[in-house]
């Protein structure tokens, strides 16, 4: 294998991306576009693996590519066995990839996987049509999550091996007779084809037998094409060459090219009635198969598929309209069989079918645009206008607001959409607009209007006006792959800079510095004489330095906010990377539990700190498993309760002010209070007296106790006592909260409120006995008067209170509990730069983290869920 570290790094990154893409697309039954994307992913994996000498990975990817090639050509439907085999291949490729990267040596495929893929590829799909299942078609019953598949893979492998041994003699016989079969088909009836048909019938290959028996019909080429396809399938079943290539070579040698005029006449049909195109494309595809013109066959199969669906599928009609000119151009350049052999394979989505007009709109703004908004972007660019994105500061009064509005109007700007970014300090407005000015001219106008950059904080040209025909296109935006270590280093440096700037800002904001000029002026008046004059001059210089200092401070704060935004883009990823893991586990649990569950996911584009993705992966998967295994009922029980037999599990993410809300809800049976209490009694978590005194809220809190489960037997997914306590702890470590609501008979909802960033935390600072502590602001319910009954925080911390309380902070615990704590002073709300806790402190339940204030002071974040209140009220202040 190669020893080029750069190539290996590239292979590691890209192969992981392709595996992630494949698994995401296989989460649900893919449509034609999904099949094409899967084909490309496995094709890329095959190529890069072969290039680095990882033949085992290339072999697995090649078989997946062949299977998906059949689906692209309409020969195979994406049935549950096909999906399961492809998912198994993705798992195998991941394992092989890890081994290859660790050892830089080839890794063999798992035993039986290649044969499983080959068997699927060779066996035709019952009832398959010539097209890939459309995206809007409802899946058949066998594809539902509750449908069962054979679990004994070894038995399947043994049966396949027996079938292979039985078919090998037939495959060898057909291979030896391929040339004679081609000649017999051209000459007419022959006893050879009848004899071979009988042999195929004895071997159980009835479709192959029927095709052989038809070889005396005329014209022969379509029949030979269908026969060649069947010989290819037989070769995979028997693992022996069945003569498909030999048949094509012999047929090509006997071909007189009489079908070429029909192929030339196909071009005008591409622009006509799609229904008339279907039979001709099918017949010519059979001829191409007979002659071994594989690329032409792919073009014709794709044309037949799209033409057959064009009447009811707008996407297929659009693709056919774009495919027609490409195919017509190819046919116009190739007038004989030799030229057709060099024909390139088709693409499922020709470039001409796509409109790039709105491709430059940022993802976070694109989803805010309506269809009319997208149309306005296209029309504006075509009319010579340019597209801009601006970050506007929130005006302090109506005069400034009117000034910004007037400036936009003066530039003939057409606002398209905007959003308020409440997580910035202060809040800002993110706007998308069209304007006729060139970027340089608009930048000059902006500088003249707002030279300090206080109202128009930033302005970025996204795309210039559409260039006239014949002008050179703009250079594509370059992408750069950066090592993860480098990104982590940049994030760490930005955090250090943030701490230093906050410290400097704190020094500049001190009241002593502002009052110093006035103090010096007073001393100058008292001193008099030359000393007084010197003090007065010094006071004047300090006073004059205040304005430049404030401007520098403002510019530094603005630059830091921009840097925060830029670094956040490095560390955030779509939460969809986490959601994409759910469909597979939901389908697996539903199948094992004989339940029918539809998974609905919303908000996959919401972005979250990548450090939180792995931290939340297991909790989210557990909530999904829990909902399917515990929450939803079996189909019969749902029918009896008046519900649809198919349950719905909904996972939704949405951006809130400074946070992300993730909701996992089902429409199942809800939480049974009595079942929870029985399980708690059985496990010894509560006494009978305690259980009798518990209301619904208290009973639900038991679900979060370590070791709790309502299952009496341990199953593959439940009953081990590792449950919601783990979920709650993971959410707490992420700096978030977990809420639960449930209605018996209606369903259950878990809500995860998560921070946007794992590096910063919004906290409320309090002071106790000269020490500063922090509470997460998401948990602060209220700040109450000092005479409110509360537990002194100093006493809980092991300190001796020496002064009366100055305020009471009311904190919310998970599951609705509250804690009232008396503190000496409430200081301020701020954003805290987080630092990891030492291992010895990280295990303490009341410590939620630690951070550094702007002045360099270390602060401990107290976790409300870990604060244990006394059982009596004797210690309350």
């Amino acid at each position: 294998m190669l020893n080029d570290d750069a190539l290996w790094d590239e292979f590691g990154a890209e192969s992981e991306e392709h595996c992630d893409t494949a698994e995401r697309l296989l989460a649900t039954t893919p449509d034609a576009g999904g099949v094409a994307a899967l084909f490309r992913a496995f094709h890329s994996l095959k190529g890069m693996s072969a290039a680095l000498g990882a033949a085992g990975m290339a072999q697995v990817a090649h078989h997946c590519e062949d299977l998906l090639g059949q689906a692209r050509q309409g020969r195979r439907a994406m049935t549950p066995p096909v999906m399961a085999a492809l998912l198994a291949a993705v798992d195998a490729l991941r394992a092989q990839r890890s081994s290859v990267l660790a050892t830089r040596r080839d890794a063999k495929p798992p035993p039986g996987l290649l044969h499983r893929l080959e068997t699927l590829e060779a066996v035709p799909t019952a009832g398959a049509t010539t097209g890939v299942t459309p995206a809007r078609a409802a899946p058949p019953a066998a594809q539902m999550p509750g449908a069962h598949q054979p679990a004994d893979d070894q038995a399947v492998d043994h049966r396949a091996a027996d079938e292979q041994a039985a078919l090998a003699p037939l495959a060898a016989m057909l291979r030896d007779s391929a040339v004679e079969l081609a000649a017999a088909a051209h000459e007419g009836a022959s006893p050879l084809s009848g004899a071979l048909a009988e042999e195929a019938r004895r071997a159980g290959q009835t479709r192959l037998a029927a095709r052989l028996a038809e070889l005396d019909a005329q014209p022969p080429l379509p029949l030979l094409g269908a026969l060649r396809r069947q010989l290819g399938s037989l070769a995979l079943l028997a693992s022996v060459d069945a003569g498909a290539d030999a048949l094509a070579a012999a047929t090509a040698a006997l071909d007189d090219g009489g079908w070429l005029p029909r192929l030339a006449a196909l071009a005008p049909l591409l622009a006509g009635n799609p229904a008339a195109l279907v039979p001709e494309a099918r017949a010519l595809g059979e001829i191409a198969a007979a002659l071994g013109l594989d690329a032409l066959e792919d073009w014709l199969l794709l044309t037949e598929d799209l033409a057959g669906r064009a009447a009811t599928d707008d996407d297929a009609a659009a693709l056919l309209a774009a495919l027609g000119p490409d195919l017509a151009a190819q046919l116009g350049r190739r007038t004989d069989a030799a030229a057709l052999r060099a024909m390139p394979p088709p693409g499922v989505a020709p470039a001409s079918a796509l409109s790039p007009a709105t491709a430059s709109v940022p993802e976070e703004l694109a989803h805010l645009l309506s269809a009319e908004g997208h149309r306005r972007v296209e029309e504006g660019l075509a009319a010579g206008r340019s597209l801009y994105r601006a970050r506007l500061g929130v005006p302090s009064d109506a005069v400034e607001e009117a000034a910004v509005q007037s400036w936009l109007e003066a530039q003939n700007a057409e606002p398209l959409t905007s959003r308020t970014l409440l997580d910035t300090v202060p809040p800002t407005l993110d706007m998308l607009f069209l304007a006729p000015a060139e970027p340089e001219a608009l930048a000059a106008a902006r500088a003249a209007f707002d030279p300090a950059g206080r109202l128009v904080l930033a302005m970025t040209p996204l795309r210039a006006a559409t260039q006239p025909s014949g002008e050179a296109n703009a250079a594509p935006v370059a992408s750069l792959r950066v090592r993860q270590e480098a990104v982590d280093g940049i994030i760490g440096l930005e955090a250090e800079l943030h701490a230093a700037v906050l410290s400097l800002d704190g020094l500049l904001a001190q009241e002593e510095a502002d009052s110093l000029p006035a103090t010096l002026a007073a001393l100058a008046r008292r001193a008099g004489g030359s000393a007084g004059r010197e003090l007065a001059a010094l006071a004047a210089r300090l006073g004059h330095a205040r304005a430049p200092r404030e401007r520098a401070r403002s510019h530094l704060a603005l630059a830091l906010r921009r840097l925060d935004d830029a670094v956040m883009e490095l560390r955030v990823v779509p939460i969809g990377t986490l959601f994409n893991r759910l469909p597979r586990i939901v389908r697996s649990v539903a199948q094992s539990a004989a339940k029918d569950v539809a998974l609905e996911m919303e908000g996959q584009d919401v972005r979250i700190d990548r450090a939180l993705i792995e931290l939340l992966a297991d909790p989210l998967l557990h909530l999904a498993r829990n909902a399917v295994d515990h929450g939803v009922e079996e189909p019969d029980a749902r029918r009896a309760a008046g519900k649809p037999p198919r349950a719905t599990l909904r996972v939704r993410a949405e951006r809130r002010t400074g946070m992300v809300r993730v909701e996992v809800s089902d429409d199942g049976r809800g939480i049974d209070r009595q079942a929870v209490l029985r399980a708690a009694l059985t496990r010894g978590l509560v006494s009978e007296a305690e259980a009798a005194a518990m209301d619904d809220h208290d009973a639900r809190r038991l679900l979060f106790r370590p070791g709790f489960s309502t299952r009496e037997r341990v199953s593959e997914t439940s009953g081990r006592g590792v449950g919601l306590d783990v979920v709650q702890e993971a959410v707490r470590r992420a700096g978030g909260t977990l809420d639960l609501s449930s209605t018996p008979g209606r369903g259950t909802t878990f809500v995860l409120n998560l921070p946007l960033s794992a590096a910063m935390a919004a906290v409320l600072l309090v002071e106790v006995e000269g020490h500063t502590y922090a509470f997460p602001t998401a948990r602060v319910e209220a700040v109450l008067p000092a005479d409110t009954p509360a537990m002194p925080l100093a006493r809980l911390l092991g300190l001796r209170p020496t002064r009366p309380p100055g305020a009471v902070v009311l904190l919310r615990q998970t599951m609705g509990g509250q804690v009232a704590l008396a503190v000496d002073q409430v200081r301020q709300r701020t954003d805290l730069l987080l630092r990891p806790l030492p291992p010895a402190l990280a295990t303490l339940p009341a410590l939620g983290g630690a951070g550094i204030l702007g002045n360099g002071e270390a602060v401990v974040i107290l976790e409300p869920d870990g604060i244990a209140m006394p059982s009596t009220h004797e210690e309350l202040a």
Side-chain angles (χ1 to χ4, degrees), residues 195-372:
L196 290 172
E198 185 60 31
E199 290 295 332
R201 196 173 292 106
R202 289 197 189 101
Q205 300 296 304
T206 54
R207 294 177 69 243
L208 176 59
R211 188 67 66 205
L212 287 165
E214 293 173 351
L215 281 184
D216 57 351
Q218 295 292 331
L221 283 179
L223 294 173
L224 288 171
L227 176 62
R228 180 173 176 256
R229 290 173 179 169
Q230 290 179 306
L231 292 182
S233 298
L234 178 62
L236 291 173
L237 279 173
S239 294
V240 174
D241 181 16
D245 291 340
L247 182 67
T251 303
L254 297 170
D255 178 48
D256 60 2
W259 54 277
L260 288 171
R262 292 178 61 189
L263 186 63
L266 188 68
L269 290 178
L270 292 168
N273 183 7
L277 189 59
V278 172
E280 190 65 6
R282 180 185 300 123
L284 289 168
E286 297 282 4
I287 294 173
L291 299 171
L293 302 173
D294 294 335
L296 176 61
E297 181 187 5
D298 288 348
W299 278 94
L300 293 169
L301 283 172
L302 181 59
T303 301
E304 177 196 352
D305 171 39
L306 295 175
R309 293 191 284 122
T312 58
D313 188 336
D314 293 340
D315 293 337
L319 286 172
L320 180 63
L323 178 77
D326 293 338
L327 178 55
Q330 288 291 338
L331 296 180
R333 291 194 297 266
R334 306 174 193 280
T335 56
D336 56 35
L340 289 168
R341 293 188 189 282
M343 192 173 183
V348 171
S352 55
L354 305 176
S355 174
T358 59
S360 297
V361 178
E363 180 183 4
E364 58 272 21
L365 292 173
H367 77 278
L368 298 176
L369 281 176
S370 63
E372 173 65 16

Side-chain angles (χ1 to χ4, degrees), residues 174-185 192 243 246-247 249-251 254:
L174 288 165
R175 178 194 63 217
D176 296 340
S177 306
V179 175
E180 297 179 55
L181 280 174
L192 176 61
L247 182 67
T251 303
L254 297 170

Side-chain angles (χ1 to χ4, degrees), residues 613-786:
I613 291 293
E614 290 303 323
L615 188 62
L616 296 172
D618 287 341
L620 193 60
L621 290 174
H622 179 85
L623 289 178
R625 288 193 197 96
N626 196 67
V628 177
D629 199 33
H630 291 274
V632 304
E633 313 92 331
E634 291 78 6
D636 290 344
R638 292 181 62 84
R639 290 190 186 94
K643 298 181 179 180
R646 165 169 277 197
T648 299
L649 172 61
R650 182 175 289 105
V651 181
R652 183 166 61 115
E654 61 178 340
R655 179 83 171 264
R656 295 288 182 92
T657 304
M659 61 183 298
V660 172
R661 173 188 170 97
V662 179
E663 184 178 293
V664 181
S665 61
D666 65 72
D667 62 348
R669 59 173 60 91
I671 295 175
D672 186 341
R673 173 173 172 271
Q674 295 302 321
V676 171
L677 293 177
R678 285 195 301 270
L681 287 169
T682 302
R683 293 178 179 266
L685 299 179
V686 296
S687 65
E688 291 189 3
E690 290 172 331
M694 285 185 171
D695 57 16
D696 288 347
H697 177 265
D698 294 331
R700 291 173 188 170
R701 296 189 67 176
L702 290 172
L703 297 172
F704 294 88
R705 295 278 292 271
F708 183 84
S709 176
T710 57
R711 281 296 174 97
E712 299 178 358
R713 297 180 180 179
V714 174
S715 69
E716 183 179 349
T717 56
S718 301
R720 295 173 174 82
V722 180
L724 292 176
D725 62 309
V726 177
V727 177
Q728 179 177 264
E729 175 61 19
V731 174
R732 185 187 72 82
R733 284 189 284 113
T737 62
L738 176 66
D739 296 323
L740 165 64
S741 62
S742 182
T743 303
R746 299 282 299 275
T748 302
T749 299
F750 289 89
V751 177
L752 289 70
N753 295 301
L754 305 167
L756 290 174
S757 171
M760 301 291 293
V763 297
L764 178 70
L765 298 179
V766 300
E767 188 174 313
V768 176
E769 295 300 322
H771 300 283
T772 303
Y773 297 92
F775 293 117
T777 54
R779 298 295 194 93
V780 177
E781 291 283 298
V783 176
L784 305 175

Side-chain angles (χ1 to χ4, degrees), residues 18-46 61 64-69 71-72 78 82-83 86-87 90 93 132 348:
H18 291 310
C19 286
D20 290 344
T21 297
E23 186 160 353
R24 174 178 56 81
L25 292 169
L26 289 167
T28 56
T29 304
D31 59 7
V35 170
L38 278 169
F39 181 89
R40 289 192 294 271
F42 283 110
H43 178 76
S44 299
L45 279 168
K46 179 184 75 171
C64 295
E65 182 187 29
D66 286 347
L67 198 61
L68 289 161
R72 290 178 74 196
M78 296 296 288
V82 173
M83 301 276 288
L86 291 173
L87 280 169
V90 173
L93 285 167
V132 178
V348 171

Side-chain angles (χ1 to χ4, degrees), residues 16-17 88 184 197 226 374 499 589 602 682 768 779 831:
E16 182 178 20
E17 290 176 5
H374 283 278
V589 176
E602 302 175 18
T682 302
V768 176
R779 298 295 194 93
D831 290 327

